[in-house]
């Protein structure tokens, strides 16, 4: 069986096409600059040359049609008939409080995605456009929506409620939702498996550390808390996002700098985090290099990042009254052994003992990095959100 995975942004459409017998990527690509000048499709199929199409794409419909055409192309494609596409899995940002599992798209699901436009103003409209475009391009093929918020829907009220007047939760659904759900779900499942834990009696923490970063507490395979909130701005320090902050800072900056609330929120999303503190870059590799060259602000940016991750691990250990295993994942978590080591230095009180030599060697492969006598196991587990979406899509259509 073959599954197409689609991730639509406001002016982009990313895709990966999987053979689910081998979990192999047969083809992948990107349509960029949709709706603006300079639209381009870049398509790469296994064992074939890169294929680039530069032609105007006035909307996502044109982009989806080009993707299907590329998959069918006699020279660069990987299928000979569209009936070889068994289903399409769409990454969708926000389902509000509606779905905790993947769903086959119907009019009701589309209504929910539409109702959540306010909660995901940049992503949800693009995600819906992508679904409609695929429906038109390959009619009759099941379209599955996999929501970034779904995995976190099991959080209890004490974890998801903000301590603001309750009427705002009732009127506007203001609460913690959490994001990166597909990654937290996939990595926590892998972690429970490789650490030999009981899915129904285990306490694990997943640290998804990339440009966007979030952390979650997963008890008995269910999410009980996560660091991102109503939007992805809350929680850890990220590439350009501040993470946790005193809300009064927003008013203070707005007054001092003559900015609107929207402008300050944009500043907290786009010019803060590692970039804002270090003044060097939002990319962790650049900040690490600058620290090695003696840059003080780069050093405190790294220290603040590690400190916040460690504080969240401490908080989530308390939330679950213990922790059996911790996973590091995403760009930084999978690759940066120094950050992993520095975070783990805060956690000796848990009986966690990092195997420094092993930790140094591990990059982007699944492996344990603690010693045999460590009370808490730590693993590096590469995340693969596209494959996870394809697997969940397959699981759902096979269960129907
Ligand atoms: P996102 O999907 O949120 O854009 P990723 O999970 O792709 O983020 O992670 C990107 C981040 O990972 C970048 O800031 C990059 O610097 C960092 N990264 C990638 N490789 C390394 C490495 N070898 N050492 C340190 N950081 C790395």
């Amino acid at each position: 069986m073959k599954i197409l995975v689609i991730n639509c942004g406001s002016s982009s459409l990313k895709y990966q096409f999987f053979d689910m017998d081998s979990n192999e990527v047969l083809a992948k690509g990107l349509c960029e600059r949709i709706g603006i000048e300079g639209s381009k499709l870049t398509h790469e199929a296994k064992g074939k040359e890169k294929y680039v199409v530069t032609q105007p794409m006035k909307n996502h419909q044109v982009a989806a049609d080009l993707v299907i055409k590329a998959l069918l192309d006699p020279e660069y494609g990987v299928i000979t008939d569209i009936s070889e596409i068994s289903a399409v899995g769409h990454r969708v940002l926000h389902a509000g409080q509606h779905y905790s599992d993947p769903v086959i798209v119907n009019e009701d699901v589309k209504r929910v995605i539409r109702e959540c436009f306010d909660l995901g103003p940049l992503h949800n409209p693009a995600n819906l456009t992508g679904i409609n475009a695929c429906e038109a391009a390959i009619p009759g093929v099941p379209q599955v929506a996999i929501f970034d918020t779904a995995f976190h829907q099991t959080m209890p009220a004490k974890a998801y409620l903000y301590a603001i007047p309750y009427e705002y939760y009732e009127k506007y659904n203001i609460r913690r939702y959490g994001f990166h759900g597909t990654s937290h779900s996939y990595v926590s499942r892998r972690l429970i498996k490789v650490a030999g834990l009981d899915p129904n009696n285990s306490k694990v923490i997943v640290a998804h550390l990339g440009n966007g970063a979030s952390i979650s507490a997963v008890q008995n395979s269910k999410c009980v808390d996560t660091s991102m909130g109503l939007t992805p701005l809350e929680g850890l320090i990220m590439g350009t996002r501040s993470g946790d902050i005193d809300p009064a800072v927003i008013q203070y900056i707005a007054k001092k700098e003559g900015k609107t609330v929207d402008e300050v929120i944009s500043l907290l999303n786009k010019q803060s985090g590692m970039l804002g503190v270090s003044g060097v870059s939002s990319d962790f590799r650049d900040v690490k290099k600058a620290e090695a060259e003696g840059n003080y602000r780069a050093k405190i940016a790294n220290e603040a990042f590690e400190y916040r991750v460690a504080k969240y691990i401490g908080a989530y250990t308390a939330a679950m009254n213990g922790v059996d295993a911790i996973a590091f994942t995403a760009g930084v978590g999978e690759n940066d052994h120094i950050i992993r080591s520095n975070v783990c230095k805060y956690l000796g009180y848990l009986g966690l003992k990092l195997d420094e030599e092993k930790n140094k060697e591990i990059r982007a492969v699944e492996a344990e990095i603690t010693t045999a006598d460590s009370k808490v196991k730590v693993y590096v587990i590469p995340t693969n959100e596209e494959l996870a979406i394809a697997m969940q899509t397959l699981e759902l259509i096979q269960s129907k």
Side-chain angles (χ1 to χ4, degrees):
M1 247 196 218
K2 299 188 180 93
I3 304 257
L4 179 62
V5 172
I6 299 279
N7 185 356
C8 274
S10 53
S11 66
S12 69
L13 186 161
K14 280 190 227 152
Y15 63 96
Q16 288 198 19
F17 188 54
F18 288 92
D19 178 347
M20 299 311 292
D21 296 327
S22 56
N23 285 351
E24 211 179 358
V25 180
L26 298 173
K28 62 178 178 181
L30 164 71
C31 297
E32 47 196 328
R33 302 183 64 84
I34 299 169
I36 48 181
E37 211 180 309
S39 313
K40 182 166 105 175
L41 160 75
T42 313
H43 171 90
E44 277 176 88
K46 209 180 141 223
K48 301 194 174 173
E49 284 198 4
K50 199 188 262 187
Y51 175 49
V52 179
V53 182
T54 347
Q55 74 163 69
M57 297 180 210
K58 69 174 191 314
N59 54 35
H60 285 75
Q61 185 62 60
V62 179
D65 288 337
L66 280 176
V67 170
I68 304 300
K69 218 167 134 196
L71 291 172
L72 283 164
D73 189 273
E75 199 176 340
Y76 301 102
V78 287
I79 51 173
T80 51
D81 195 282
I82 50 168
S83 63
E84 288 179 58
I85 305 173
S86 300
V88 185
H90 294 267
R91 181 177 187 174
V92 185
L93 184 78
H94 225 301
Q97 303 195 88
H98 294 275
Y99 299 117
S100 52
D101 290 301
V103 284
I104 293 187
V105 175
N106 56 24
E107 285 312 310
D108 228 31
V109 174
K110 287 189 190 177
R111 182 183 49 77
V112 167
I113 298 174
R114 225 175 279 120
E115 273 175 20
C116 294
F117 276 7
D118 271 356
L119 291 168
L122 296 180
H123 293 84
N124 270 39
N127 300 148
L128 184 58
T129 310
I131 290 172
N132 287 330
C134 286
E135 272 181 354
I138 31 177
V141 172
Q143 312 280 330
V144 173
I146 317 272
F147 297 97
D148 251 36
T149 50
F151 180 64
H152 305 301
Q153 275 298 302
T154 48
M155 278 188 287
K158 65 182 177 187
Y160 71 66
L161 277 183
Y162 291 119
I164 57 175
Y166 195 76
E167 65 193 84
Y168 296 125
Y169 168 61
E170 291 178 312
K171 273 206 285 195
Y172 308 123
N173 298 318
I174 296 175
R175 49 160 285 180
R176 172 182 313 288
Y177 288 99
F179 298 89
H180 291 139
T182 315
S183 177
H184 286 288
S185 160
Y186 174 80
V187 173
S188 60
R189 268 209 251 180
R190 284 299 308 161
L191 175 61
I192 288 165
K193 185 145 197 242
V194 293
L197 299 171
D198 178 352
N200 299 314
N201 185 19
S202 50
K203 298 166 179 175
V204 304
I205 293 173
V206 174
H208 176 113
L209 312 179
N211 269 332
S214 67
I215 184 159
S216 63
V218 180
Q219 190 161 3
N220 307 337
S221 304
K222 295 209 166 10
C223 177
V224 292
D225 208 345
T226 192
S227 59
M228 283 178 166
L230 175 75
T231 76
L233 184 53
E234 194 181 352
L236 301 176
I237 295 173
M238 313 182 207
T240 60
R241 295 191 192 114
S242 63
D244 296 338
I245 198 165
D246 177 350
V249 169
I250 297 167
Q251 181 205 32
Y252 202 82
I253 295 177
K255 273 195 182 159
K256 291 277 182 199
E257 296 271 315
K259 290 185 190 297
T260 63
V261 168
D262 281 9
E263 284 168 343
V264 181
I265 293 292
S266 169
L267 185 144
L268 294 179
N269 266 304
K270 296 185 182 146
Q271 291 167 49
S272 301
M274 299 302 282
L275 172 66
V277 178
S278 73
V280 173
S281 167
S282 62
D283 192 294
F284 283 78
R285 282 166 293 203
D286 298 339
V287 181
K288 185 161 75 171
K289 187 161 163 274
E291 178 181 353
E293 289 163 2
N295 183 312
Y296 167 73
R297 280 172 55 186
K299 179 174 181 300
I300 45 172
N302 275 322
E303 284 178 359
F305 175 81
E306 293 155 1
Y307 179 63
R308 181 123 8 132
V309 174
K311 281 209 297 188
Y312 265 96
I313 293 175
Y316 287 171
T317 303
M320 297 189 288
N321 193 10
V323 60
D324 302 314
I326 299 168
F328 284 102
T329 192
V332 178
E334 291 167 29
N335 293 295
D336 194 326
H337 67 88
I338 300 174
I339 286 182
R340 291 194 303 248
S341 168
N342 288 342
V343 169
C344 289
K345 285 196 178 95
Y346 287 100
L347 305 172
Y349 74 100
L350 293 173
L352 184 158
K353 290 188 200 162
L354 195 70
D355 183 331
E356 292 287 354
E357 284 312 305
K358 229 197 249 173
N359 178 46
K360 247 184 225 165
E361 285 164 21
I362 298 302
R363 262 185 86 153
V365 289
E366 209 169 84
E368 186 188 342
I369 52 172
T370 29
T371 60
D373 63 340
S374 178
K375 273 201 200 141
V376 177
K377 300 287 175 199
V378 182
Y379 283 78
V380 171
I381 303 207
T383 190
N384 189 336
E385 289 173 284
E386 285 76 20
L387 177 61
I389 289 172
M391 285 161 71
Q392 291 188 10
T393 301
L394 180 70
E395 220 172 275
L396 181 62
I397 59 163
Q398 284 184 333
S399 70
K400 293 286 161 189

